[in-house]
Amino acid sequence: MEDLLRSVLKVCEDSGAEFSDIRVFRDKNTFIRKDNVKRVLGSDEKFFAVIRVLKDGTFRYATTTNLEKRYMKELSKKICYDSEYNQNVQIKFLKPIKKIVKNRVEKNPGEISIENKVKDIEKIFNLSVSNKNIKSAKVFYNDYENIMYFMSSEDRYIEQTITRTNIIIHVNARKNNIITESFESYGGAKGYEVVENIGEKEVNEIVDKAIIQLKGKKCPKGNFCVVVDGSVAGVIAHEIMGHPSEADFVINERSFLSELFKKEIANRNVSIIDDSTINGNGFYFFDHEGIPGQKTYIIKNGVLNSFLHSRETASVFSKKFDEETNSTGNGRTQGLGRKIFVRMSNTYFKPGDYNTQELFLGIKKGIYAIKNVCGMEDPAGKGFYVSCLMGYMIENGKITKPIRGEVVLTGNVLEMLKNITAISKDFSLNPGSCGKGHEDFVRVGTGGPHIRIENLTVGG
Amino acid sequence: MDKEKIAKSIIKYSEELGVDDVEIFISEAKYKSCFIENNKIKNLLLNFSDGIGIRVLKNEKIGFSSGNIINENYYKKILRRAIVSSKYGDRVKNFYFPNIKNKNKVSGIYDQEIENYDEQSLINFSEFFINEIKNNRIALGRLRFSNLEYFIFNSNGLEVREKSTFATVYSNILNSFEYEIFEKSRTIKEIEKSLISSCEKAKKHLKNYKEMNGSRIKKKDIDVILSPSVLTELFISTFGYALSGNSFVLGNSPFYNHVGKKIASEKITMIDDGTLPKGIGSFSIDHEGIPTNRKLLIKNGVLKNFFFDLITSCNAKKKNIGNGIRNIISEEIYSSPPNPTITNLIIKNGKKSLEDIISETKYGALIEKVSWPRASPFSGSFSLEIRIGYIIKDGCLSEIIKNAIIAGNFYDLIKRVEEISKENEYRAVSPSGFGECALMPYIKFKNVTILPKGIRSF
């Protein structure tokens, strides 16, 4: 593979490229989908290349499923045409490296027989529907082996293999005309142990949330003191600080953070981190530009500490602020047919000092929001939108009546950051997926502890 | 690559391996993208990809596998994998891959001009877009011109192909406020037309948000007019699931056992039409080779039908097929089995113009854009942050809405329809992928809750 990549890059160099890199992906996936009426199994194996050249000050891309040497060489020549659209893009050249890396998992899903996988998924499904109030359940299982062969014209060669396992359990409870839902997703850069660790306790927790909601009231609307669990905290971190700190948004003045670099924007107890080195869904050793993944404090003790960078945005920043800025290892692509953007990895709130129960103390009337459903950023308008599966009322410091989903949280980011008054010690990290412009989906993790936010707008 | 030869060879090999029925889906996608940042052309991207997805039926069990290297040894490997997965599938009684001959001819889904588009044409089109938006800034934009051809064969003699083109523009426009443009069409002519109209709208709303006064919102229930773009996602996120074959067979649709019952205002007539000329969700054949058709889902508020793909129709013992769509979030459609999916959802338009509907509103709101227009398919509940909206006072748009949300239950809301506009717009949900589009009017609803967001005032 190394020789193949080198020969393609040679064509780019001969055709006048100032810089070029190529990544060939081999993605293998096995899936099982089980619900009340069917069990469907399948597998997919894709090979494709994303070639990138820097010529006349612009990056150009070609992506293809045809990996024949001759074809890739022709394609590389095709994107090395002369152009007057010079964007003056420059990148800092890096030292050569050669790395072959593979993540360690407890149990490689590739070594588990389909028969055993089916048996385990059936067991989880049967546990999910064993309660008479549960009318339907779905279990989605996926395991992946993602291999990236990367080479740049700086003689940087990387072979990266990442094994991932994901499982989603979704249930619906029904009583008369009321239908409720509950779900949980598990996994990340882990092995088959993800499935084996799901037992009666985990499934019952999911089922209970659906059943409790049958007795729940609709979510009240207005401003409340809100406590959110780690799942909701994670998506808040992702939407309010992750997206606005993506440096391409900052450079293009689409982010409200453009003018706030190194300024105090949150309470001192708040730190938000993007970290591709932990084994959540957003784990990688190297990003798709061959830069090592790292732990980046976006907010550190209330101060806007760093943006997230690709190689290109780091170069622009270095020039603009006359201060050396390096890629934070956040250059990622969805893959075939997509370019590299600045993207998050695992984004989370750093845990604090409180015991979880202490967060509820002193709240006269508030809302406990549980389990993220989805979220949306608004980096230009300083807003955010997070939808949660369900909630509970908090009355006089105690968790009381259930709220039937959904619970929607919205607000102004900078006000909200100042209104975070307590952060607990606990921590959870959830697998997810993130788009940019309603497409370009990449795997991410989101997480954190429980956090308490004063005066947040709630709807449902 | 001779697809027919490949298919015949797979069918022959599948017979040797004792498969009862086999379906071969091959797709070829070519596209060119241009990325714009700060009103400047930033990157170009060319993509050439193809792949194959095989479904098998063995002992009444279905298996699936896919890949993208199309040579004889590799597709035999994919077939063997599909057979292995079928061993562990559930039985689907009376299932087979049909060969339906009476194929429709859907017009306006292919444009030779897109197929011929070269890099210079893409640059010219991007410049046209930058020029159209004038005085406003395209912070991040992307344009994509795609050709997609797919071929479906099965062991019962089906041999069909569909050639189609797509043009997509997605962009964030800034001018002290942000406006999102998303247009998707089948032809160059159509995308030009819709982009010009979209740019005009963007300029109008951005100007209003710069110049008009903001309204101080207090929590109350008022009459609200929702735009086609908000309604498209609200209808598809709810009815796209609630009326699908999947939720019918699982029994988790809120409208299970409601066929023949009134579930909406009698002003609501809803159709799923896979044959709509020029529609992004239009196909002559769906991704299982079934001719698409026009299905009445709700007539004057009364539920008439659900929509199905082959497997769910078999499980439900219903015939309403033609909605088997593969992978709706990317062009790599071969890599997932089909699912029952909305093609083009049409809400029958009314007789009054939007202008008349606004002028007849004493106090209310017009909501053009919200943060993420979705509602829960199970409960119908929604709570949406308003991005572009106006307060209507005495029949006029008087103030802009900032920092407010609308909330309620969409399944209740469609029982309280006051007016439906005669104007409609064609909207798609996702820039990539297939199906999930709508031809949607403006709809005025009674008593929708609107409430302030946060504690800011301005």
Side-chain angles (χ1 to χ4, degrees), chain B residues 248-277:
Chain B
F248 182 88
V249 296
L250 290 175
N252 64 10
S253 166
F255 305 117
Y256 187 73
N257 283 339
H258 280 58
V259 172
K261 291 181 184 165
K262 194 161 183 276
I263 62 165
S265 153
E266 59 192 27
K267 292 190 172 82
I268 295 282
T269 290
M270 184 196 288
I271 295 152
D272 177 78
D273 187 0
T275 66
L276 184 74

mmCIF file of all heavy atoms in Angstrom, chain B residues 248-277:
data_model
loop_
_atom_site.group_PDB
_atom_site.id
_atom_site.type_symbol
_atom_site.label_atom_id
_atom_site.label_comp_id
_atom_site.label_asym_id
_atom_site.label_seq_id
_atom_site.Cartn_x
_atom_site.Cartn_y
_atom_site.Cartn_z
ATOM 1 N N PHE B 248 -46.189 0.474 11.397
ATOM 2 C CA PHE B 248 -47.438 -0.308 11.302
ATOM 3 C C PHE B 248 -47.210 -1.724 11.810
ATOM 4 O O PHE B 248 -47.948 -2.230 12.646
ATOM 5 C CB PHE B 248 -47.923 -0.334 9.846
ATOM 6 C CG PHE B 248 -49.221 -1.061 9.672
ATOM 7 C CD1 PHE B 248 -50.431 -0.389 9.815
ATOM 8 C CD2 PHE B 248 -49.249 -2.420 9.380
ATOM 9 C CE1 PHE B 248 -51.643 -1.066 9.679
ATOM 10 C CE2 PHE B 248 -50.450 -3.100 9.246
ATOM 11 C CZ PHE B 248 -51.645 -2.416 9.391
ATOM 12 N N VAL B 249 -46.132 -2.368 11.318
ATOM 13 C CA VAL B 249 -45.922 -3.766 11.731
ATOM 14 C C VAL B 249 -45.475 -3.871 13.191
ATOM 15 O O VAL B 249 -45.769 -4.858 13.862
ATOM 16 C CB VAL B 249 -44.938 -4.544 10.802
ATOM 17 C CG1 VAL B 249 -45.505 -4.673 9.415
ATOM 18 C CG2 VAL B 249 -43.568 -3.914 10.768
ATOM 19 N N LEU B 250 -44.798 -2.828 13.671
ATOM 20 C CA LEU B 250 -44.396 -2.862 15.081
ATOM 21 C C LEU B 250 -45.537 -2.449 16.013
ATOM 22 O O LEU B 250 -45.471 -2.657 17.217
ATOM 23 C CB LEU B 250 -43.202 -1.923 15.325
ATOM 24 C CG LEU B 250 -41.873 -2.369 14.725
ATOM 25 C CD1 LEU B 250 -40.816 -1.295 14.922
ATOM 26 C CD2 LEU B 250 -41.406 -3.673 15.361
ATOM 27 N N GLY B 251 -46.569 -1.858 15.446
ATOM 28 C CA GLY B 251 -47.716 -1.433 16.260
ATOM 29 C C GLY B 251 -47.396 -0.244 17.133
ATOM 30 O O GLY B 251 -48.107 0.005 18.104
ATOM 31 N N ASN B 252 -46.327 0.487 16.821
ATOM 32 C CA ASN B 252 -46.006 1.639 17.674
ATOM 33 C C ASN B 252 -46.339 2.972 17.006
ATOM 34 O O ASN B 252 -45.852 4.013 17.420
ATOM 35 C CB ASN B 252 -44.559 1.592 18.165
ATOM 36 C CG ASN B 252 -43.545 1.703 17.052
ATOM 37 O OD1 ASN B 252 -43.917 1.999 15.917
ATOM 38 N ND2 ASN B 252 -42.287 1.472 17.349
ATOM 39 N N SER B 253 -47.175 2.917 15.969
ATOM 40 C CA SER B 253 -47.629 4.177 15.379
ATOM 41 C C SER B 253 -48.786 4.710 16.204
ATOM 42 O O SER B 253 -49.676 3.952 16.593
ATOM 43 C CB SER B 253 -48.114 3.930 13.947
ATOM 44 O OG SER B 253 -48.843 5.049 13.503
ATOM 45 N N PRO B 254 -48.809 6.028 16.454
ATOM 46 C CA PRO B 254 -49.970 6.568 17.164
ATOM 47 C C PRO B 254 -51.255 6.409 16.353
ATOM 48 O O PRO B 254 -52.344 6.565 16.891
ATOM 49 C CB PRO B 254 -49.617 8.048 17.371
ATOM 50 C CG PRO B 254 -48.437 8.325 16.528
ATOM 51 C CD PRO B 254 -47.780 7.034 16.179
ATOM 52 N N PHE B 255 -51.125 6.084 15.051
ATOM 53 C CA PHE B 255 -52.308 5.940 14.196
ATOM 54 C C PHE B 255 -52.604 4.488 13.818
ATOM 55 O O PHE B 255 -53.346 4.223 12.881
ATOM 56 C CB PHE B 255 -52.148 6.823 12.942
ATOM 57 C CG PHE B 255 -51.888 8.250 13.288
ATOM 58 C CD1 PHE B 255 -50.704 8.863 12.931
ATOM 59 C CD2 PHE B 255 -52.815 8.967 14.021
ATOM 60 C CE1 PHE B 255 -50.451 10.179 13.280
ATOM 61 C CE2 PHE B 255 -52.576 10.286 14.386
ATOM 62 C CZ PHE B 255 -51.389 10.888 14.006
ATOM 63 N N TYR B 256 -51.994 3.573 14.554
ATOM 64 C CA TYR B 256 -52.290 2.159 14.339
ATOM 65 C C TYR B 256 -53.783 1.972 14.632
ATOM 66 O O TYR B 256 -54.303 2.494 15.608
ATOM 67 C CB TYR B 256 -51.434 1.333 15.310
ATOM 68 C CG TYR B 256 -51.523 -0.146 15.071
ATOM 69 C CD1 TYR B 256 -50.913 -0.722 13.966
ATOM 70 C CD2 TYR B 256 -52.214 -0.961 15.953
ATOM 71 C CE1 TYR B 256 -50.995 -2.076 13.748
ATOM 72 C CE2 TYR B 256 -52.304 -2.327 15.741
ATOM 73 C CZ TYR B 256 -51.685 -2.876 14.624
ATOM 74 O OH TYR B 256 -51.771 -4.221 14.405
ATOM 75 N N ASN B 257 -54.487 1.232 13.799
ATOM 76 C CA ASN B 257 -55.944 1.039 13.975
ATOM 77 C C ASN B 257 -56.765 2.307 13.750
ATOM 78 O O ASN B 257 -57.896 2.396 14.202
ATOM 79 C CB ASN B 257 -56.281 0.514 15.389
ATOM 80 C CG ASN B 257 -55.984 -0.955 15.498
ATOM 81 O OD1 ASN B 257 -55.909 -1.640 14.483
ATOM 82 N ND2 ASN B 257 -55.794 -1.428 16.712
ATOM 83 N N HIS B 258 -56.156 3.310 13.089
ATOM 84 C CA HIS B 258 -56.904 4.551 12.857
ATOM 85 C C HIS B 258 -57.319 4.712 11.392
ATOM 86 O O HIS B 258 -57.861 5.754 11.029
ATOM 87 C CB HIS B 258 -56.058 5.771 13.263
ATOM 88 C CG HIS B 258 -56.059 6.041 14.730
ATOM 89 N ND1 HIS B 258 -55.635 5.110 15.651
ATOM 90 C CD2 HIS B 258 -56.441 7.131 15.448
ATOM 91 C CE1 HIS B 258 -55.750 5.626 16.858
ATOM 92 N NE2 HIS B 258 -56.239 6.850 16.769
ATOM 93 N N VAL B 259 -57.059 3.720 10.554
ATOM 94 C CA VAL B 259 -57.438 3.863 9.139
ATOM 95 C C VAL B 259 -58.971 3.996 9.080
ATOM 96 O O VAL B 259 -59.703 3.237 9.716
ATOM 97 C CB VAL B 259 -56.957 2.661 8.291
ATOM 98 C CG1 VAL B 259 -57.519 2.727 6.874
ATOM 99 C CG2 VAL B 259 -55.432 2.643 8.236
ATOM 100 N N GLY B 260 -59.413 5.018 8.346
ATOM 101 C CA GLY B 260 -60.854 5.292 8.258
ATOM 102 C C GLY B 260 -61.317 6.280 9.320
ATOM 103 O O GLY B 260 -62.471 6.713 9.298
ATOM 104 N N LYS B 261 -60.408 6.647 10.235
ATOM 105 C CA LYS B 261 -60.799 7.594 11.290
ATOM 106 C C LYS B 261 -60.233 8.981 11.012
ATOM 107 O O LYS B 261 -59.218 9.125 10.331
ATOM 108 C CB LYS B 261 -60.282 7.111 12.649
ATOM 109 C CG LYS B 261 -60.995 5.855 13.130
ATOM 110 C CD LYS B 261 -60.467 5.439 14.479
ATOM 111 C CE LYS B 261 -61.120 4.125 14.893
ATOM 112 N NZ LYS B 261 -60.431 3.485 15.989
ATOM 113 N N LYS B 262 -60.879 9.976 11.585
ATOM 114 C CA LYS B 262 -60.435 11.353 11.382
ATOM 115 C C LYS B 262 -59.251 11.647 12.313
ATOM 116 O O LYS B 262 -59.366 11.458 13.522
ATOM 117 C CB LYS B 262 -61.591 12.306 11.704
ATOM 118 C CG LYS B 262 -61.375 13.711 11.213
ATOM 119 C CD LYS B 262 -62.705 14.461 11.146
ATOM 120 C CE LYS B 262 -62.513 15.846 10.590
ATOM 121 N NZ LYS B 262 -62.111 16.837 11.532
ATOM 122 N N ILE B 263 -58.120 12.023 11.751
ATOM 123 C CA ILE B 263 -56.942 12.309 12.592
ATOM 124 C C ILE B 263 -56.439 13.745 12.400
ATOM 125 O O ILE B 263 -55.497 14.158 13.051
ATOM 126 C CB ILE B 263 -55.788 11.309 12.324
ATOM 127 C CG1 ILE B 263 -55.305 11.403 10.883
ATOM 128 C CG2 ILE B 263 -56.192 9.887 12.674
ATOM 129 C CD1 ILE B 263 -53.967 10.725 10.656
ATOM 130 N N ALA B 264 -57.059 14.460 11.459
ATOM 131 C CA ALA B 264 -56.606 15.841 11.189
ATOM 132 C C ALA B 264 -57.807 16.680 10.760
ATOM 133 O O ALA B 264 -58.900 16.139 10.525
ATOM 134 C CB ALA B 264 -55.545 15.830 10.086
ATOM 135 N N SER B 265 -57.571 17.976 10.650
ATOM 136 C CA SER B 265 -58.610 18.875 10.145
ATOM 137 C C SER B 265 -59.057 18.410 8.758
ATOM 138 O O SER B 265 -58.248 17.880 7.985
ATOM 139 C CB SER B 265 -58.025 20.281 10.044
ATOM 140 O OG SER B 265 -58.686 21.031 9.065
ATOM 141 N N GLU B 266 -60.322 18.640 8.443
ATOM 142 C CA GLU B 266 -60.773 18.199 7.101
ATOM 143 C C GLU B 266 -60.110 18.997 5.981
ATOM 144 O O GLU B 266 -60.200 18.620 4.802
ATOM 145 C CB GLU B 266 -62.294 18.250 7.002
ATOM 146 C CG GLU B 266 -62.889 19.606 7.241
ATOM 147 C CD GLU B 266 -64.403 19.521 7.419
ATOM 148 O OE1 GLU B 266 -64.899 18.466 7.852
ATOM 149 O OE2 GLU B 266 -65.050 20.522 7.103
ATOM 150 N N LYS B 267 -59.414 20.056 6.348
ATOM 151 C CA LYS B 267 -58.674 20.817 5.316
ATOM 152 C C LYS B 267 -57.409 20.074 4.887
ATOM 153 O O LYS B 267 -56.783 20.422 3.891
ATOM 154 C CB LYS B 267 -58.279 22.193 5.873
ATOM 155 C CG LYS B 267 -59.466 23.118 6.110
ATOM 156 C CD LYS B 267 -58.971 24.520 6.424
ATOM 157 C CE LYS B 267 -60.081 25.528 6.470
ATOM 158 N NZ LYS B 267 -60.809 25.567 7.740
ATOM 159 N N ILE B 268 -56.999 19.057 5.659
ATOM 160 C CA ILE B 268 -55.735 18.361 5.352
ATOM 161 C C ILE B 268 -55.974 17.146 4.451
ATOM 162 O O ILE B 268 -56.671 16.195 4.813
ATOM 163 C CB ILE B 268 -55.026 17.883 6.644
ATOM 164 C CG1 ILE B 268 -54.587 19.064 7.503
ATOM 165 C CG2 ILE B 268 -53.836 16.964 6.336
ATOM 166 C CD1 ILE B 268 -53.342 19.793 7.055
ATOM 167 N N THR B 269 -55.366 17.212 3.264
ATOM 168 C CA THR B 269 -55.286 16.038 2.390
ATOM 169 C C THR B 269 -53.811 15.813 2.102
ATOM 170 O O THR B 269 -53.109 16.735 1.670
ATOM 171 C CB THR B 269 -56.105 16.247 1.098
ATOM 172 O OG1 THR B 269 -57.488 16.237 1.455
ATOM 173 C CG2 THR B 269 -55.848 15.155 0.079
ATOM 174 N N MET B 270 -53.346 14.602 2.399
ATOM 175 C CA MET B 270 -51.909 14.310 2.299
ATOM 176 C C MET B 270 -51.680 13.140 1.329
ATOM 177 O O MET B 270 -52.338 12.105 1.443
ATOM 178 C CB MET B 270 -51.383 13.936 3.689
ATOM 179 C CG MET B 270 -49.897 13.704 3.760
ATOM 180 S SD MET B 270 -49.460 12.846 5.285
ATOM 181 C CE MET B 270 -49.696 14.114 6.466
ATOM 182 N N ILE B 271 -50.750 13.356 0.413
ATOM 183 C CA ILE B 271 -50.478 12.345 -0.615
ATOM 184 C C ILE B 271 -48.987 12.039 -0.634
ATOM 185 O O ILE B 271 -48.167 12.945 -0.482
ATOM 186 C CB ILE B 271 -50.912 12.893 -2.008
ATOM 187 C CG1 ILE B 271 -52.431 13.104 -2.027
ATOM 188 C CG2 ILE B 271 -50.483 11.971 -3.156
ATOM 189 C CD1 ILE B 271 -52.884 14.181 -2.970
ATOM 190 N N ASP B 272 -48.634 10.785 -0.821
ATOM 191 C CA ASP B 272 -47.239 10.448 -1.094
ATOM 192 C C ASP B 272 -47.158 10.142 -2.583
ATOM 193 O O ASP B 272 -47.824 9.225 -3.068
ATOM 194 C CB ASP B 272 -46.802 9.226 -0.282
ATOM 195 C CG ASP B 272 -45.381 8.835 -0.619
ATOM 196 O OD1 ASP B 272 -44.455 9.490 -0.133
ATOM 197 O OD2 ASP B 272 -45.190 7.889 -1.425
ATOM 198 N N ASP B 273 -46.356 10.919 -3.300
ATOM 199 C CA ASP B 273 -46.346 10.779 -4.758
ATOM 200 C C ASP B 273 -44.927 10.600 -5.294
ATOM 201 O O ASP B 273 -44.191 11.576 -5.453
ATOM 202 C CB ASP B 273 -47.007 12.010 -5.401
ATOM 203 C CG ASP B 273 -47.180 11.836 -6.908
ATOM 204 O OD1 ASP B 273 -46.784 10.770 -7.436
ATOM 205 O OD2 ASP B 273 -47.710 12.755 -7.552
ATOM 206 N N GLY B 274 -44.567 9.359 -5.573
ATOM 207 C CA GLY B 274 -43.239 9.062 -6.117
ATOM 208 C C GLY B 274 -43.114 9.371 -7.595
ATOM 209 O O GLY B 274 -42.046 9.196 -8.178
ATOM 210 N N THR B 275 -44.204 9.858 -8.200
ATOM 211 C CA THR B 275 -44.171 10.116 -9.648
ATOM 212 C C THR B 275 -44.182 11.614 -9.965
ATOM 213 O O THR B 275 -44.288 11.997 -11.129
ATOM 214 C CB THR B 275 -45.393 9.477 -10.349
ATOM 215 O OG1 THR B 275 -46.582 10.150 -9.893
ATOM 216 C CG2 THR B 275 -45.519 8.006 -10.032
ATOM 217 N N LEU B 276 -44.098 12.449 -8.937
ATOM 218 C CA LEU B 276 -44.189 13.899 -9.134
ATOM 219 C C LEU B 276 -43.116 14.380 -10.132
ATOM 220 O O LEU B 276 -41.915 14.186 -9.896
ATOM 221 C CB LEU B 276 -43.986 14.602 -7.783
ATOM 222 C CG LEU B 276 -44.150 16.117 -7.770
ATOM 223 C CD1 LEU B 276 -45.621 16.505 -7.874
ATOM 224 C CD2 LEU B 276 -43.549 16.690 -6.481
ATOM 225 N N PRO B 277 -43.526 15.016 -11.239
ATOM 226 C CA PRO B 277 -42.523 15.480 -12.212
ATOM 227 C C PRO B 277 -41.479 16.390 -11.560
ATOM 228 O O PRO B 277 -41.827 17.236 -10.733
ATOM 229 C CB PRO B 277 -43.358 16.250 -13.243
ATOM 230 C CG PRO B 277 -44.719 15.683 -13.112
ATOM 231 C CD PRO B 277 -44.891 15.311 -11.664
#
